Amino acid sequence: MSRTLTTSSATTSATDGDVSSATARAAEQAASTQEVQSLTLAKALNTAMVDAMSADDTVIVFGEDVGMLGGVFRITDGLMRRFGSTRCFDTPLAESGIIGMAVGMAMNGMRPVVEMQFDAFAYPAFEQIASHVAKMHNRTRGAVTLPMVIRIPYAGGIGGVEHHCDSSEAYYAHTAGLKVYTPATVADGYRMLREAIDSDDPVIFMEPKKLYWSKDAVDLEGLRQEHTERVAAGSSTEGRAGVARSGTDATLIAYGPSVPTALAAAAVAAEEGRSLEVIDVRSIVPFDDETVAASVRRTGRAVVIAEAHGFASVASEIVARIQESCFHQLAAPVRRVTGFDIPYPAPKLEHYYLPGVDRILDAVDDLQWEDQS
Amino acid sequence: MTISATQHIPDATEPPPHHRALTESVRKFGISVEDYMLPARHPIQMVSPEGVLVPADEQGAQPGHEYPIPDEAELLAAYEQLVIGRRVNDQNSALVRQGRIAVYPSSHGQEACQVAAALALADGDWMFPTYRDSVAIMARGVDPMQVMTSFRGTWHSGYDPHEHHVGIQSTPLTTQLLHGVGVAHAAKLRGEDTVVLAMCGDGATSEGDFHEALNFAAVFGLPVIFFVQNNRYAISVPLAQQSAAPSLAHKAVGYGMAGERVDGNDLVALLSVLRRAVTLAREGSGPLLVEAHTYRMQAHTNADDATRYRQDSEVAEWQEKDPLNRMRTYLTGQGVLRDEDADRIDEHAEAVAAVLREGLNTEVDVDPQELFRHVFSSPTPHLDRQSAMLAEEISREAAR
Ligand SMILES: Cc1ncc(C[n+]2csc(CCOP(=O)(O)OP(=O)(O)O)c2C)c(N)n1
Ligand SMILES: [Mg+2]
């Protein structure tokens, strides 16, 4: 669906916001970005919003400092300049206000993509999220859809002070009616944010902030093409986990910020002669039981890795599901490697908290290998 | 602990006692309660940016908003804190550049507000500061190195709130205002005359907790001064995009409390306005809101790039209104600040800066086991196991 809005732009006239010129722009970009390029996750997310806003005038971006500044992490950089201040704007400083207004806008024809500045600063909006965003569709017996995306930079590893490093995914995953995505690669940053914006359901889009500046070689044009084809086919990668590394001896299951750590652990294990498979969960809700179970049934051992506290966590949920579906193929109890059950530490102490390669390998060592030796 | 137990169950038609108290206090100004609640027509200014005393009829005051000039000894002591505050801000910013501290939200340009907030309070009163109010906390007497604990990243806070009656520096915006309201409420229940000064920025006034705090304080008639440092920006977002109210001080009226606005770079006016607010609150006339017009001279924090959203010319304009130059010129002109005072004060400030430099240039040992120590008031078996696991990891690492 695409609709033309009158774009009265106070800041710029770089775009008139209509779809034909957006298409022309996309074609122009296509010509200039033919091959594989090195891109940060930040830029991939930014590009996903640019493309979504170009394709559909009802996609509106707002939040704190997302306009002129381009967001404190610059994920919305240039959107206001390009699309005008009706399509990308700063709100007063109030998270409940941002989400509540987004609900109303989504009810009335828009596709809001809003930013919460940091994980812990989304908490004032929790009532709107838990009581309305998650439930509106259900309460109205399906009469109302809320096609909105709540982007949240989350987790630690950047030496941030308190309230800037929370892994808050469990609160959302535990709230029925919310989809929860978290990309771990640059390509998935683009792919999954486009899918989140396309989704008619509300999506909590958790961005691992420590990966914002990580780079990958990606074929942006290929990703755009892939998106166009998926939209045409009415399909998506939603709810599908990915195999980030193939292996045979045990499965590491990770998401978001923990995926690179799991991959690093698998690389070290390989040197020690152990072949670990790494599954990137990608979409916490809906959860891909099939991919995870297929891997664990094959390897017979599993470790779930997450930066969040382990108690009552997404990692706990994954362990429970594996146990339910793979019990007879398991050679050892499924382990969790997570953050401790303590408030996220101050910067100088965070490395003690974060699940690192050694802690993961310790857990792997504990997986009852007697039958193999 | 004694709580004065009122057996009296109020009649729904009867105004609460603090309404009477408010009417009483207002009577001495000879104006109506409504006029008392409305802020002065202009921000109160007693010393001009050039450092000259503003004639009484041009200070912005109108009936009910007249403020006396604080005495000389008080002004000199305040000036000393102002010089120290500036030195602290600039020392910390330098240490951030040198990589000695992770982050420091400087109050450079807002030091007059910081100092006045601290000096307006009595020892038993409480202050509820934000991340930007380090100088105010130091001016209240908290050890500077303790204040820097959170910014150097060894713990979330370094001082005991009960010792100096200063809440932990709050980052989740305006959440601390309600804590201030609660502290005032508890004190009132015990019959104490504690006043609470709760601080926030201009942007923060948009948060829901700001509204709730003001309303609670007014409904319960609590002695809380809401002190808003309007420094024109919330990170990149200018005030005009934050509020459509005639001023932030006007917000007070909607809750049934007095609002006042004051030149936030004029230490003389700030001291006078805040002192009167504290006195009125202590007399039982309920909460007040004071909005100080000031400017954030530097970026939001070292992580921010202010050139993306504001003009250098605007910063230059505010440089002319600098609170420190203004106070120095004024006090020198009045003969209150003599050369020897100025030298002594500069030395004092330098000594504080040296403490920060030395302290923050020294590596401090962190104890990983402390991570598990303060989660609950006594240890749990679950956390004991996690703590043992970390200890084991660390000793294995050390043995490698
Ligand atoms: C609830 C919440 N939302 C967002 C933030 C992120 N944040 C930190 S400071 C700030 C701007 C605050 O501006 P203002 O209240 O004017 O205070 P100033 O920083 O100018 O002193 C923002 C948005 C936060 N700390 N808390
Ligand atoms: Mg501000």
Side-chain angles (χ1 to χ4, degrees), chain A residues 65 68-69 74 77 92-95 117 121 162-163 340-342 344-349 352 358-359 362, chain B residues 152-156 171-173 203 206-207 234-237 242 308 371 375 382-383 386 389 393-394 396:
Chain A
D65 301 286
M68 197 77 132
L69 186 66
R74 308 290 186 264
D77 192 23
L93 218 178
E95 295 75 15
Q117 198 159 80
F121 304 145
E162 57 171 359
H163 316 298
F340 296 119
D341 294 310
I342 58 174
Y344 196 87
K348 291 244 161 85
L349 288 151
Y352 293 114
D358 287 343
R359 205 170 283 163
D362 283 352
Chain B
R152 80 190 309 196
T154 48
W155 205 263
H156 309 295
T171 301
L173 299 167
S206 297
E207 289 281 6
I235 310 186
S236 71
V237 181
Q242 204 63 250
R308 287 177 77 103
L371 288 173
V375 183
H382 173 70
L383 288 183
Q386 296 195 348
M389 173 183 153
E393 278 182 8
I394 292 169
R396 247 190 306 147

Side-chain angles (χ1 to χ4, degrees), chain B residues 164-352:
Chain B
H164 298 276
H165 293 178
V166 178
I168 183 170
Q169 280 181 282
S170 176
T171 301
L173 299 167
T174 65
T175 51
Q176 75 281 5
L177 304 181
L178 281 156
H179 308 162
V181 168
V183 162
H185 202 155
K188 186 177 173 177
L189 293 184
R190 278 196 301 267
E192 296 160 4
D193 70 349
T194 310
V195 171
V196 172
L197 184 132
M199 306 165 82
C200 74
D202 48 310
T205 63
S206 297
E207 289 281 6
D209 275 8
F210 174 81
H211 157 80
E212 296 182 23
L214 266 66
N215 195 45
F216 271 50
V219 165
F220 292 111
L222 302 171
V224 182
I225 318 290
F226 296 97
F227 183 45
V228 180
Q229 288 168 82
N230 170 3
N231 65 6
R232 301 301 194 101
Y233 287 91
I235 310 186
S236 71
V237 181
L239 183 65
Q241 282 172 255
Q242 204 63 250
S243 170
S247 82
L248 298 176
H250 278 84
K251 294 196 174 206
V253 185
Y255 298 99
M257 74 176 78
E260 186 58 290
R261 43 183 160 175
V262 54
D263 181 336
N265 287 11
D266 176 0
L267 182 50
V268 178
L270 278 159
L271 273 174
S272 191
V273 167
L274 283 173
R275 278 214 191 287
R276 189 179 97 170
V278 169
T279 306
L280 286 168
R282 209 182 303 285
E283 285 170 4
S285 62
L288 297 98
L289 186 158
V290 175
E291 176 194 8
H293 289 228
T294 181
Y295 194 76
R296 196 194 75 209
M297 292 300 290
Q298 297 180 346
H300 173 68
T301 67
N302 44 298
D304 178 36
D305 173 9
T307 63
R308 287 177 77 103
Y309 53 81
R310 71 181 186 190
Q311 302 291 324
D312 288 346
S313 56
E314 187 184 278
V315 182
E317 251 172 61
W318 278 89
Q319 184 60 49
E320 299 300 310
K321 305 179 192 169
D322 182 71
L324 182 56
N325 293 340
R326 184 187 311 201
M327 190 70 171
R328 188 188 303 117
T329 310
Y330 172 64
L331 291 182
T332 309
Q334 294 289 305
V336 175
L337 180 68
R338 295 156 308 163
D339 285 350
E340 56 266 38
D341 301 316
D343 290 346
R344 175 183 54 79
I345 289 170
D346 287 346
E347 267 169 44
H348 186 182
E350 203 43 54
V352 175

